[in-house]
Every structure is written in C-alpha cells, then in structure tokens.
Amino acid sequence: MKKMLGFLMLVLSLLIVGCNSRSSLSGTEEPKVQQTKGIQAEEEAGTQTKAETTKLTWALFDFGADISVCQKALNEELKNKNLPFEIEFVNVSVGFDGNYQEYVDSYIKAVEEGGYDIINCPGVMNCYDIYKIAIDRELLAPLDELLEGGSSTGVQLKSAYPSIVWESLKENGQIYGVLTPYTNFKYYAVFNMDYAEKYEVSVSDITFTDMEAILQKVKKGEEENTSFVVSTSWPYYLAGQSEYTLCCLIGINTANETPVAENILYNDTYLKQIECLNNWGAKGFFPDADMDYWKQMEDGNFFVTGIYSYSETAAENDCRNNLKISPEFELQAVEMPEFENVFYGNGAKTGVNAKSQNKKEAINALAEIYSDADLSDALIYGKEGEDYIVQDGLITRMEDQEILGLLAKETLGNSFITSPENTDSKSKRDELWETVENLKPSKQIGFRYDLSEIHEKISELNQLFEEKYHECFYGNSKDWNIDLARLRDEAGSLGIDEVVSEMNNQLERNRK
C-alpha cells in the first residue's frame, strides 16, 4: 500500500497525459468481462424499493475495491434528502493482456450491452481517452439542456465547477459528463525543517536553480548517515515551456504563439533537465534502488521530497499522511513555479447512457450528486463513524478503507465541493477553486487529435517509455547519453516522426 501511494505522489504528473502503466492482469487470453453488481443485488431480504424511487445502475471500469460502503451511504443520503433515486454500482472487470485498445474497447462494449444508466469514464488508458471514445460511439447523453435550461438543479450543477472545467468537457460544442479532476496542478518541494535549519537553508525564498548547491551541502553534511535521503526525484520537464500530449515522448511547444508538436528527445529544455537529474542521481542525491527509503521518510530521515498538489498546505498534509511522517517533524512546502501545469481538464468523467430507459432521472441524479457536498462526500467517503472520522476538520478514513478511498477520489465525486481529508488543506474547497481559476488553460482545450491512423504508434511509444525508459527520466540512468541514443533509435523505429508530422498537420488544419 505504501509503495502504491508513494508512486502516485511522485509521478502523478504522468497521469495527465495518459501514460500511466497498468500491470498485466492476465495472460494472453482474449479480454474477459466480469460484471459484479453492488450490495442491492446481493441482499434478497432487504426492504422493498418505493414505487416513486428510480433505481439507477452505475458502471465502473475495473474498480478494484469494495464500493458497497459508499453505495450504502450514498443511498441513505439520497433518502435523507427526499431525492427519488437509488444507486447500484456495477464493477465491470475486464481482463487485460497488454493491449490497451482491446482493454478499453471491452469496457465500452460491456457498457453498451449492459444498459447501465450512469457510466464512469476513468481518464485515459495509454492514449485511449474513454470519455471521448464513449462520445464517438454515441454512448453518452449531452447535458447542455440541463445546464442551460435554467432549472434549479442545472444552475446548481453549473455553479459547482469553475467555468474553465465546463470548457474542457466540451466535445463538438456539447458537454457529456462531469469531472473528477486530477489536482496535480502545482509542484511543491516539501522540506524537513529539522535539516533545513541544521544547514541554514532559507526555504521561503528557495528556487530550483538553488537546489543543486543545497543538496550537495546537505549530502556532504550527512555522509555518516548512510541511510539518509537527501531528496526524492524531481519532474523531468519544465512545464512552462511545453504541454503534454497523449504521447509521452511528444510535447506541444508553446513558447511561440503557434503551438507545435515536437519530439522531446531533441528538445534542449527537456534534455538539459533530464541530464541534470541524472547528474544528481550519479552524485547520490536520490535514494539507491535497493534502499527502503519509505521507512527513512517515515522516520524523518530526509531533507526534501516533492509532490504535485493545489496548495502548500495540501502538499504538506499529503506528504505527511501518505508517507506516515510523524507530527514531531515540521514540514514546509515551497512552490516551484517552473513545474506548474496548465489546466487540461484531465481526470475521470462520469456521464449518462444516451440509451438509458431512465435517462432523465439519471441526468438529474448525477447533477444532484455532483453539486451537493453531502452526496458527494457519501459517494467517496462512505458514512461518518462507520467508514471515516473527522479530526480537526479533516476526514480520516478507517484503515481498511484506504484502497477504496484512493480509487474513489480519483474516479468519483466533485473535488471542488467535497470535504477535505487528512491529505488536503482544511480550506481545500476555496484553495482548489482559486488555483484552477488562476491556471492558464491548455492551448489544446477544444481541440482533439484524430488518432485513427496513429493510435497504435502512440500506444507503442508510451509503452516503450513506461516499461523500459521511465526511470531514466527521473535520474536513475547509469549512462544517459547511451540510453538517449537507444531511445531515439527505438522511438524512430516505432514511427515517432510520423506521429509528430501528423499531429502538426492536424494543428495546422485546426488553425485554418
């Protein structure tokens, strides 16, 4: 569990481009679909549903935890608010054999055949955007009539998100879902103040440019402390210079007014940063691969770590709670603006099945849940006292709900209205909203690449990066020049030049 949480903390930036790897869940058999209904289907001796209540099924894609506690809490809250809906979650578990296209297609097919009312689209798998694929297959119903119709429910939902979110959700001028956003907007260096004070480091005005000399000083001073963690790895890119695409090895250069797709393996800004990180790795600033550095972090035996978040307080709390760092160690987060992301609108989307027999009811239920804080809290946390407790204004999940919580907040609910948990700031709602409103919108919002001719190449390039060279970008290459030469050659063989050319052709046609 600790490794899972740490991995998400240190490399969450990869999620926004769909480069998250997925371990093989099966052999080389054809994908198999297993659909597991929630607790309502299993309880034969339950209370009978009232005639005026509409039961709605909600499809989840390979949700690897027991969602029944959230289902129970959500239905109780719906009943408390006299809302005529009952939710039943259905986990659509799809076998994965290494082919991402088949993996996503199997889910889409299962949803089409299952007749579910509400459909969860959990982000991007490799380069396959489930939300956009579902729209192309005419699987999702537009929500614009509700949002623009002037009803109290529509007004409430529209006001529950910053306007930039709604712009990012548009496809062909229409909105088909609501967003559970990734909150990896800004990068924070989180310092252990015991060591910052020991080495007289003034963290309040520190910049990334200062870091190498500081890390060298701290490393030298802790030479006798052989298990000491000087720093965890840093981002390999400077986000202000470029935007991500669905291909990990291709960025959109935004330095000029006209955005241009380019191979990052020949971009001097990227290469300088990656070389810097590998030099830091060679100097011993990062933990050795065989070191149990999670234990060292937990014990406060470290100088600095880093995380993407939406505020300084949230970054501190996230590091402290996910790494189990004792309150006796003072932490201070410092924003590193070189790594700030633009707003892409990335995250999970949830929409309504266009062919649902309960389409109107499903749209209204979805709108109520994603615009009401109590309902959204029940959806991702469960029930207070049974599944979580509130301590000093922050939610702490019961220990056996940690994995459920990690999955739920990544795929369900409206983060702009949910209560803060112990990995958040107490002022999460205000801080998250303010951060998003002040971010620059991606120059790719409103534009979609036609991947019909290049998706297989992009998928192979992403897998090459993730499965073979990922660590080289974070300071763990033994010889970066050799690895770079090999990667350039292998990416070339997989057709990266053709992908870059096609992306630029599409960008050019879009400008006209």
Side-chain angles (χ1 to χ4, degrees), residues 56-186:
L56 302 169
T57 53
W58 188 325
L60 300 174
F61 184 5
D62 244 349
F63 198 87
D66 180 9
I67 192 69
S68 63
V69 295
C70 294
Q71 177 178 306
K72 180 181 177 182
L74 177 59
N75 284 326
E76 287 182 3
E77 194 61 40
L78 286 167
K79 186 176 180 180
N80 290 339
K81 292 179 179 291
N82 295 315
L83 291 169
F85 313 113
E86 179 184 348
I87 300 299
E88 179 184 7
F89 290 108
V90 181
N91 180 36
V92 182
S93 182
V94 183
F96 179 69
D97 66 355
N99 187 314
Y100 286 91
Q101 183 183 14
E102 289 184 2
Y103 186 53
V104 171
D105 282 348
S106 294
Y107 175 67
I108 296 294
K109 183 179 179 181
V111 170
E112 287 175 329
E113 295 176 349
Y116 309 112
D117 301 299
I118 300 174
I119 302 168
N120 184 245
C121 302
V124 180
M125 298 290 178
N126 194 307
C127 63
Y128 301 102
D129 189 324
I130 300 171
Y131 176 65
K132 294 179 179 179
I133 292 171
I135 293 171
D136 287 344
R137 299 276 278 268
E138 299 183 345
L139 188 55
L140 299 180
L143 304 180
D144 302 80
E145 184 177 345
L146 173 73
L147 292 167
E148 304 301 334
S151 69
S152 59
T153 304
V155 170
Q156 183 173 308
L157 177 60
K158 192 171 183 178
S159 64
Y161 287 94
S163 59
I164 192 174
V165 171
W166 294 118
E167 287 301 312
S168 72
L169 287 166
K170 286 183 179 178
E171 285 290 317
N172 305 317
Q174 292 186 296
I175 295 169
Y176 295 86
V178 289
L179 178 68
T180 301
Y182 297 141
T183 57
N184 53 331
F185 302 122
K186 298 182 178 184

Side-chain angles (χ1 to χ4, degrees), residues 216-228:
Q216 184 65 58
K217 178 181 179 181
V218 173
K219 176 174 173 51
K220 184 176 181 180
E222 295 298 318
E223 284 180 336
E224 300 298 319
N225 185 355
T226 57
S227 58
F228 185 76

